[in-house]
Amino acid sequence: MHILEIPSFFTPYGGEFCLEQAKALKALGHEVRILSCVQLGVTIGLKDYLLLPYHRYEHQRDDVTIYQSFQRGLPKMVHHNVMRWVSIVESMFCDYIKKYGKPDILHAHCAKWAGYVAMQLSKAYGLPYVITEHLSLMSLEEEFGKAPSDAWQIPFLKQAYEQAAMVLPVAEELVEEIACYFGKEYRWQYLSNVIDTDFFHYHKRPSRNGRPFRFCCVADYSYRKGYDVLIPAYKQLHDSGANVELIIAGRGTDTVKFRNLLSEGMTSYGLIDKAAVRELLYESDALVLASRSEVQPLVLLEAMATGIPVIATSCIPQSLRIEGGSTIVPIDDIKGLSLAMGQMIGQDTDSKTISESIRHFASPEAVGMKLAQLFRDIIALR
């Protein structure tokens, strides 16, 4: 099969899930490429906005061809930026098929806006498209306001869902959560994100004798990630006399504002790359995430794949509630989180079993084979 992946966002703003699925499909022998237009924000990263290429180009990443461009977004001009992004992707697709021919299927990541442009390309070229949905309810509320909403974007995205050959939410719960915006009149099937389980593989931790129990958290500094809950929860545990430390990484966690929140036994590194995330996980005994809203956070999969348990809030999906591998606490519960962290210190962990549980449903082989079969079935019905 010839598969074209179209992410709504990509490096430098995340989007690794798209690359990992492309790699998984390519490893199965399929022709797979990524077509990426990233809208840059001047207030998000001025250096990227000014210095990243102004022309379209191809490059290789992990042996996957990426046809790349960057769009300079204009502040406070959302409608203009969206329509410009859509037109750029449509133009890039015209260039793409001149070089590589029409793909058999389009695989969009997030309806906003890759799913919408995939719908437009489907109409123009007679191609089926699938949407993998990653965006949480809270992220939609931040842009559209709480439902019911009359935001102009909603009818476009609702149509993209309804006309897709299949929508693949990375958590079953997501369908019900976002129904307040888009309804449920579309075909859907749950499918996990993929993580590189060969890279994030099981690793035996050093003995805890004579050293602090090390918690880690890998998450950007934002309200949604609940650092205002995690930090005081850790302080309560530390002040009670527990021999613990907390290592934090993620965009914005190296700022003066964030570091002023930290206390004894806490360290923050800012944004780190994939190799550094793995090293941090290998040096840690457990990962903790105090999020207020999530769909399927990859870092939980990565942590458990390496063999450490996680503590997370009730917003995470059932698919990540691995027996022996995850402890769930209520959202915004500082005391409950602190108690769970304390209990984790004395807990026996079957690390190899946790790691194998993740490999079973989130490995490139597992997800790639499910995606490939779904795509074949869809193409056969055309």
Side-chain angles (χ1 to χ4, degrees), residues 314-343:
S314 56
C315 68
I316 72 163
Q318 291 294 327
S319 61
L320 289 185
R321 302 186 186 195
I322 306 299
E323 184 176 356
S326 57
T327 299
I328 307 302
V329 299
I331 296 170
D332 287 333
D333 186 348
I334 294 173
K335 183 178 180 180
L337 181 59
S338 186
L339 287 172
M341 293 170 72
Q343 292 166 359

PDB file of all heavy atoms in Angstrom, residues 314-343:
ATOM      1  N   SER A 314      -7.375  10.405  37.276  1.00  0.00           N
ATOM      2  CA  SER A 314      -8.517   9.674  36.725  1.00  0.00           C
ATOM      3  C   SER A 314      -8.885  10.097  35.314  1.00  0.00           C
ATOM      4  O   SER A 314      -9.784   9.513  34.711  1.00  0.00           O
ATOM      5  CB  SER A 314      -9.735   9.851  37.640  1.00  0.00           C
ATOM      6  OG  SER A 314     -10.031  11.228  37.829  1.00  0.00           O
ATOM      7  N   CYS A 315      -8.187  11.082  34.751  1.00  0.00           N
ATOM      8  CA  CYS A 315      -8.496  11.482  33.372  1.00  0.00           C
ATOM      9  C   CYS A 315      -7.863  10.543  32.343  1.00  0.00           C
ATOM     10  O   CYS A 315      -8.216  10.601  31.170  1.00  0.00           O
ATOM     11  CB  CYS A 315      -8.046  12.920  33.108  1.00  0.00           C
ATOM     12  SG  CYS A 315      -6.253  13.158  33.093  1.00  0.00           S
ATOM     13  N   ILE A 316      -6.946   9.679  32.758  1.00  0.00           N
ATOM     14  CA  ILE A 316      -6.316   8.813  31.760  1.00  0.00           C
ATOM     15  C   ILE A 316      -7.254   7.660  31.409  1.00  0.00           C
ATOM     16  O   ILE A 316      -8.077   7.246  32.221  1.00  0.00           O
ATOM     17  CB  ILE A 316      -4.937   8.289  32.219  1.00  0.00           C
ATOM     18  CG1 ILE A 316      -5.073   7.237  33.317  1.00  0.00           C
ATOM     19  CG2 ILE A 316      -4.033   9.421  32.646  1.00  0.00           C
ATOM     20  CD1 ILE A 316      -3.832   6.421  33.507  1.00  0.00           C
ATOM     21  N   PRO A 317      -7.163   7.139  30.178  1.00  0.00           N
ATOM     22  CA  PRO A 317      -8.107   6.115  29.733  1.00  0.00           C
ATOM     23  C   PRO A 317      -7.885   4.764  30.401  1.00  0.00           C
ATOM     24  O   PRO A 317      -6.813   4.484  30.949  1.00  0.00           O
ATOM     25  CB  PRO A 317      -7.827   6.027  28.230  1.00  0.00           C
ATOM     26  CG  PRO A 317      -6.400   6.424  28.088  1.00  0.00           C
ATOM     27  CD  PRO A 317      -6.192   7.495  29.125  1.00  0.00           C
ATOM     28  N   GLN A 318      -8.912   3.915  30.307  1.00  0.00           N
ATOM     29  CA  GLN A 318      -8.828   2.573  30.872  1.00  0.00           C
ATOM     30  C   GLN A 318      -7.692   1.777  30.258  1.00  0.00           C
ATOM     31  O   GLN A 318      -7.091   0.930  30.923  1.00  0.00           O
ATOM     32  CB  GLN A 318     -10.161   1.845  30.647  1.00  0.00           C
ATOM     33  CG  GLN A 318     -11.325   2.382  31.451  1.00  0.00           C
ATOM     34  CD  GLN A 318     -11.158   2.170  32.952  1.00  0.00           C
ATOM     35  OE1 GLN A 318     -10.573   1.185  33.384  1.00  0.00           O
ATOM     36  NE2 GLN A 318     -11.678   3.096  33.742  1.00  0.00           N
ATOM     37  N   SER A 319      -7.374   2.036  29.003  1.00  0.00           N
ATOM     38  CA  SER A 319      -6.335   1.264  28.324  1.00  0.00           C
ATOM     39  C   SER A 319      -4.972   1.398  28.974  1.00  0.00           C
ATOM     40  O   SER A 319      -4.101   0.546  28.788  1.00  0.00           O
ATOM     41  CB  SER A 319      -6.249   1.679  26.844  1.00  0.00           C
ATOM     42  OG  SER A 319      -5.914   3.054  26.729  1.00  0.00           O
ATOM     43  N   LEU A 320      -4.759   2.484  29.743  1.00  0.00           N
ATOM     44  CA  LEU A 320      -3.478   2.703  30.406  1.00  0.00           C
ATOM     45  C   LEU A 320      -3.488   2.282  31.867  1.00  0.00           C
ATOM     46  O   LEU A 320      -2.482   2.422  32.562  1.00  0.00           O
ATOM     47  CB  LEU A 320      -3.078   4.176  30.310  1.00  0.00           C
ATOM     48  CG  LEU A 320      -2.665   4.681  28.928  1.00  0.00           C
ATOM     49  CD1 LEU A 320      -2.172   6.104  29.007  1.00  0.00           C
ATOM     50  CD2 LEU A 320      -1.589   3.793  28.329  1.00  0.00           C
ATOM     51  N   ARG A 321      -4.588   1.736  32.312  1.00  0.00           N
ATOM     52  CA  ARG A 321      -4.680   1.324  33.713  1.00  0.00           C
ATOM     53  C   ARG A 321      -4.236  -0.137  33.818  1.00  0.00           C
ATOM     54  O   ARG A 321      -5.030  -1.054  33.959  1.00  0.00           O
ATOM     55  CB  ARG A 321      -6.082   1.557  34.242  1.00  0.00           C
ATOM     56  CG  ARG A 321      -6.486   3.022  34.100  1.00  0.00           C
ATOM     57  CD  ARG A 321      -7.805   3.347  34.736  1.00  0.00           C
ATOM     58  NE  ARG A 321      -8.180   4.737  34.439  1.00  0.00           N
ATOM     59  CZ  ARG A 321      -9.139   5.403  35.082  1.00  0.00           C
ATOM     60  NH1 ARG A 321      -9.815   4.809  36.053  1.00  0.00           N
ATOM     61  NH2 ARG A 321      -9.417   6.654  34.754  1.00  0.00           N
ATOM     62  N   ILE A 322      -2.938  -0.310  33.728  1.00  0.00           N
ATOM     63  CA  ILE A 322      -2.328  -1.627  33.693  1.00  0.00           C
ATOM     64  C   ILE A 322      -2.208  -2.180  35.110  1.00  0.00           C
ATOM     65  O   ILE A 322      -1.675  -1.514  36.007  1.00  0.00           O
ATOM     66  CB  ILE A 322      -0.926  -1.559  33.052  1.00  0.00           C
ATOM     67  CG1 ILE A 322      -0.991  -0.882  31.673  1.00  0.00           C
ATOM     68  CG2 ILE A 322      -0.295  -2.940  32.965  1.00  0.00           C
ATOM     69  CD1 ILE A 322      -1.838  -1.586  30.671  1.00  0.00           C
ATOM     70  N   GLU A 323      -2.692  -3.399  35.324  1.00  0.00           N
ATOM     71  CA  GLU A 323      -2.628  -4.007  36.648  1.00  0.00           C
ATOM     72  C   GLU A 323      -1.174  -4.093  37.127  1.00  0.00           C
ATOM     73  O   GLU A 323      -0.315  -4.641  36.439  1.00  0.00           O
ATOM     74  CB  GLU A 323      -3.258  -5.397  36.620  1.00  0.00           C
ATOM     75  CG  GLU A 323      -3.327  -6.052  37.988  1.00  0.00           C
ATOM     76  CD  GLU A 323      -4.048  -7.395  37.966  1.00  0.00           C
ATOM     77  OE1 GLU A 323      -4.563  -7.780  36.902  1.00  0.00           O
ATOM     78  OE2 GLU A 323      -4.083  -8.046  39.026  1.00  0.00           O
ATOM     79  N   GLY A 324      -0.936  -3.551  38.293  1.00  0.00           N
ATOM     80  CA  GLY A 324       0.410  -3.561  38.847  1.00  0.00           C
ATOM     81  C   GLY A 324       1.309  -2.463  38.301  1.00  0.00           C
ATOM     82  O   GLY A 324       2.395  -2.236  38.836  1.00  0.00           O
ATOM     83  N   GLY A 325       0.860  -1.798  37.241  1.00  0.00           N
ATOM     84  CA  GLY A 325       1.704  -0.801  36.607  1.00  0.00           C
ATOM     85  C   GLY A 325       1.250   0.615  36.803  1.00  0.00           C
ATOM     86  O   GLY A 325       2.027   1.550  36.587  1.00  0.00           O
ATOM     87  N   SER A 326      -0.010   0.815  37.184  1.00  0.00           N
ATOM     88  CA  SER A 326      -0.518   2.179  37.302  1.00  0.00           C
ATOM     89  C   SER A 326      -1.374   2.342  38.547  1.00  0.00           C
ATOM     90  O   SER A 326      -2.157   1.460  38.902  1.00  0.00           O
ATOM     91  CB  SER A 326      -1.323   2.567  36.051  1.00  0.00           C
ATOM     92  OG  SER A 326      -2.377   1.654  35.834  1.00  0.00           O
ATOM     93  N   THR A 327      -1.204   3.487  39.189  1.00  0.00           N
ATOM     94  CA  THR A 327      -2.010   3.882  40.336  1.00  0.00           C
ATOM     95  C   THR A 327      -2.772   5.133  39.946  1.00  0.00           C
ATOM     96  O   THR A 327      -2.177   6.084  39.416  1.00  0.00           O
ATOM     97  CB  THR A 327      -1.122   4.171  41.561  1.00  0.00           C
ATOM     98  OG1 THR A 327      -0.410   2.983  41.920  1.00  0.00           O
ATOM     99  CG2 THR A 327      -1.958   4.642  42.742  1.00  0.00           C
ATOM    100  N   ILE A 328      -4.074   5.146  40.200  1.00  0.00           N
ATOM    101  CA  ILE A 328      -4.928   6.253  39.769  1.00  0.00           C
ATOM    102  C   ILE A 328      -5.424   7.030  40.986  1.00  0.00           C
ATOM    103  O   ILE A 328      -5.900   6.442  41.962  1.00  0.00           O
ATOM    104  CB  ILE A 328      -6.135   5.741  38.956  1.00  0.00           C
ATOM    105  CG1 ILE A 328      -5.672   4.844  37.809  1.00  0.00           C
ATOM    106  CG2 ILE A 328      -6.953   6.922  38.433  1.00  0.00           C
ATOM    107  CD1 ILE A 328      -4.719   5.497  36.836  1.00  0.00           C
ATOM    108  N   VAL A 329      -5.298   8.360  40.916  1.00  0.00           N
ATOM    109  CA  VAL A 329      -5.790   9.236  41.980  1.00  0.00           C
ATOM    110  C   VAL A 329      -6.744  10.263  41.367  1.00  0.00           C
ATOM    111  O   VAL A 329      -6.711  10.508  40.155  1.00  0.00           O
ATOM    112  CB  VAL A 329      -4.631   9.950  42.700  1.00  0.00           C
ATOM    113  CG1 VAL A 329      -3.690   8.940  43.341  1.00  0.00           C
ATOM    114  CG2 VAL A 329      -3.863  10.853  41.745  1.00  0.00           C
ATOM    115  N   PRO A 330      -7.597  10.880  42.174  1.00  0.00           N
ATOM    116  CA  PRO A 330      -8.505  11.901  41.635  1.00  0.00           C
ATOM    117  C   PRO A 330      -7.737  13.113  41.101  1.00  0.00           C
ATOM    118  O   PRO A 330      -6.611  13.402  41.528  1.00  0.00           O
ATOM    119  CB  PRO A 330      -9.369  12.283  42.848  1.00  0.00           C
ATOM    120  CG  PRO A 330      -9.259  11.128  43.786  1.00  0.00           C
ATOM    121  CD  PRO A 330      -7.875  10.586  43.601  1.00  0.00           C
ATOM    122  N   ILE A 331      -8.363  13.834  40.186  1.00  0.00           N
ATOM    123  CA  ILE A 331      -7.802  15.082  39.672  1.00  0.00           C
ATOM    124  C   ILE A 331      -7.834  16.147  40.771  1.00  0.00           C
ATOM    125  O   ILE A 331      -8.771  16.201  41.575  1.00  0.00           O
ATOM    126  CB  ILE A 331      -8.610  15.552  38.439  1.00  0.00           C
ATOM    127  CG1 ILE A 331      -8.487  14.532  37.303  1.00  0.00           C
ATOM    128  CG2 ILE A 331      -8.166  16.933  37.969  1.00  0.00           C
ATOM    129  CD1 ILE A 331      -9.437  14.787  36.151  1.00  0.00           C
ATOM    130  N   ASP A 332      -6.788  16.965  40.828  1.00  0.00           N
ATOM    131  CA  ASP A 332      -6.713  18.096  41.765  1.00  0.00           C
ATOM    132  C   ASP A 332      -6.696  17.672  43.236  1.00  0.00           C
ATOM    133  O   ASP A 332      -7.113  18.435  44.109  1.00  0.00           O
ATOM    134  CB  ASP A 332      -7.872  19.082  41.540  1.00  0.00           C
ATOM    135  CG  ASP A 332      -7.710  19.898  40.262  1.00  0.00           C
ATOM    136  OD1 ASP A 332      -6.559  20.097  39.838  1.00  0.00           O
ATOM    137  OD2 ASP A 332      -8.730  20.328  39.703  1.00  0.00           O
ATOM    138  N   ASP A 333      -6.212  16.473  43.524  1.00  0.00           N
ATOM    139  CA  ASP A 333      -6.188  15.966  44.896  1.00  0.00           C
ATOM    140  C   ASP A 333      -4.741  15.914  45.387  1.00  0.00           C
ATOM    141  O   ASP A 333      -4.042  14.899  45.208  1.00  0.00           O
ATOM    142  CB  ASP A 333      -6.833  14.589  44.951  1.00  0.00           C
ATOM    143  CG  ASP A 333      -6.977  14.049  46.368  1.00  0.00           C
ATOM    144  OD1 ASP A 333      -6.385  14.634  47.297  1.00  0.00           O
ATOM    145  OD2 ASP A 333      -7.677  13.027  46.548  1.00  0.00           O
ATOM    146  N   ILE A 334      -4.274  16.998  46.002  1.00  0.00           N
ATOM    147  CA  ILE A 334      -2.886  17.068  46.456  1.00  0.00           C
ATOM    148  C   ILE A 334      -2.597  15.994  47.501  1.00  0.00           C
ATOM    149  O   ILE A 334      -1.595  15.269  47.419  1.00  0.00           O
ATOM    150  CB  ILE A 334      -2.583  18.474  47.018  1.00  0.00           C
ATOM    151  CG1 ILE A 334      -2.662  19.522  45.902  1.00  0.00           C
ATOM    152  CG2 ILE A 334      -1.213  18.508  47.691  1.00  0.00           C
ATOM    153  CD1 ILE A 334      -2.556  20.961  46.397  1.00  0.00           C
ATOM    154  N   LYS A 335      -3.461  15.885  48.482  1.00  0.00           N
ATOM    155  CA  LYS A 335      -3.245  14.915  49.553  1.00  0.00           C
ATOM    156  C   LYS A 335      -3.270  13.486  49.011  1.00  0.00           C
ATOM    157  O   LYS A 335      -2.416  12.666  49.361  1.00  0.00           O
ATOM    158  CB  LYS A 335      -4.309  15.079  50.636  1.00  0.00           C
ATOM    159  CG  LYS A 335      -4.113  14.143  51.823  1.00  0.00           C
ATOM    160  CD  LYS A 335      -5.170  14.386  52.890  1.00  0.00           C
ATOM    161  CE  LYS A 335      -4.972  13.435  54.083  1.00  0.00           C
ATOM    162  NZ  LYS A 335      -6.006  13.660  55.129  1.00  0.00           N
ATOM    163  N   GLY A 336      -4.245  13.197  48.144  1.00  0.00           N
ATOM    164  CA  GLY A 336      -4.346  11.854  47.579  1.00  0.00           C
ATOM    165  C   GLY A 336      -3.127  11.487  46.752  1.00  0.00           C
ATOM    166  O   GLY A 336      -2.639  10.351  46.795  1.00  0.00           O
ATOM    167  N   LEU A 337      -2.613  12.459  45.991  1.00  0.00           N
ATOM    168  CA  LEU A 337      -1.426  12.205  45.175  1.00  0.00           C
ATOM    169  C   LEU A 337      -0.217  11.966  46.068  1.00  0.00           C
ATOM    170  O   LEU A 337       0.588  11.052  45.818  1.00  0.00           O
ATOM    171  CB  LEU A 337      -1.177  13.387  44.239  1.00  0.00           C
ATOM    172  CG  LEU A 337       0.023  13.255  43.300  1.00  0.00           C
ATOM    173  CD1 LEU A 337      -0.108  12.039  42.401  1.00  0.00           C
ATOM    174  CD2 LEU A 337       0.185  14.524  42.451  1.00  0.00           C
ATOM    175  N   SER A 338      -0.068  12.764  47.116  1.00  0.00           N
ATOM    176  CA  SER A 338       1.054  12.598  48.028  1.00  0.00           C
ATOM    177  C   SER A 338       1.019  11.227  48.701  1.00  0.00           C
ATOM    178  O   SER A 338       2.051  10.544  48.829  1.00  0.00           O
ATOM    179  CB  SER A 338       1.043  13.703  49.085  1.00  0.00           C
ATOM    180  OG  SER A 338       2.194  13.638  49.890  1.00  0.00           O
ATOM    181  N   LEU A 339      -0.165  10.793  49.124  1.00  0.00           N
ATOM    182  CA  LEU A 339      -0.302   9.479  49.744  1.00  0.00           C
ATOM    183  C   LEU A 339       0.054   8.364  48.770  1.00  0.00           C
ATOM    184  O   LEU A 339       0.737   7.393  49.132  1.00  0.00           O
ATOM    185  CB  LEU A 339      -1.734   9.290  50.255  1.00  0.00           C
ATOM    186  CG  LEU A 339      -2.120  10.083  51.505  1.00  0.00           C
ATOM    187  CD1 LEU A 339      -3.612   9.957  51.776  1.00  0.00           C
ATOM    188  CD2 LEU A 339      -1.319   9.613  52.718  1.00  0.00           C
ATOM    189  N   ALA A 340      -0.401   8.489  47.521  1.00  0.00           N
ATOM    190  CA  ALA A 340      -0.101   7.472  46.518  1.00  0.00           C
ATOM    191  C   ALA A 340       1.396   7.397  46.248  1.00  0.00           C
ATOM    192  O   ALA A 340       1.956   6.299  46.075  1.00  0.00           O
ATOM    193  CB  ALA A 340      -0.856   7.775  45.227  1.00  0.00           C
ATOM    194  N   MET A 341       2.061   8.544  46.220  1.00  0.00           N
ATOM    195  CA  MET A 341       3.511   8.556  46.017  1.00  0.00           C
ATOM    196  C   MET A 341       4.210   7.874  47.188  1.00  0.00           C
ATOM    197  O   MET A 341       5.175   7.122  47.005  1.00  0.00           O
ATOM    198  CB  MET A 341       4.000   9.997  45.831  1.00  0.00           C
ATOM    199  CG  MET A 341       3.509  10.638  44.533  1.00  0.00           C
ATOM    200  SD  MET A 341       3.852  12.430  44.431  1.00  0.00           S
ATOM    201  CE  MET A 341       5.643  12.427  44.192  1.00  0.00           C
ATOM    202  N   GLY A 342       3.726   8.127  48.412  1.00  0.00           N
ATOM    203  CA  GLY A 342       4.316   7.497  49.578  1.00  0.00           C
ATOM    204  C   GLY A 342       4.140   5.989  49.561  1.00  0.00           C
ATOM    205  O   GLY A 342       5.058   5.232  49.907  1.00  0.00           O
ATOM    206  N   GLN A 343       2.963   5.536  49.166  1.00  0.00           N
ATOM    207  CA  GLN A 343       2.703   4.103  49.094  1.00  0.00           C
ATOM    208  C   GLN A 343       3.544   3.429  48.009  1.00  0.00           C
ATOM    209  O   GLN A 343       3.931   2.265  48.141  1.00  0.00           O
ATOM    210  CB  GLN A 343       1.213   3.853  48.843  1.00  0.00           C
ATOM    211  CG  GLN A 343       0.327   4.241  50.020  1.00  0.00           C
ATOM    212  CD  GLN A 343      -1.141   4.307  49.665  1.00  0.00           C
ATOM    213  OE1 GLN A 343      -1.531   4.085  48.513  1.00  0.00           O
ATOM    214  NE2 GLN A 343      -1.977   4.621  50.651  1.00  0.00           N
TER     215      GLN A 343
END
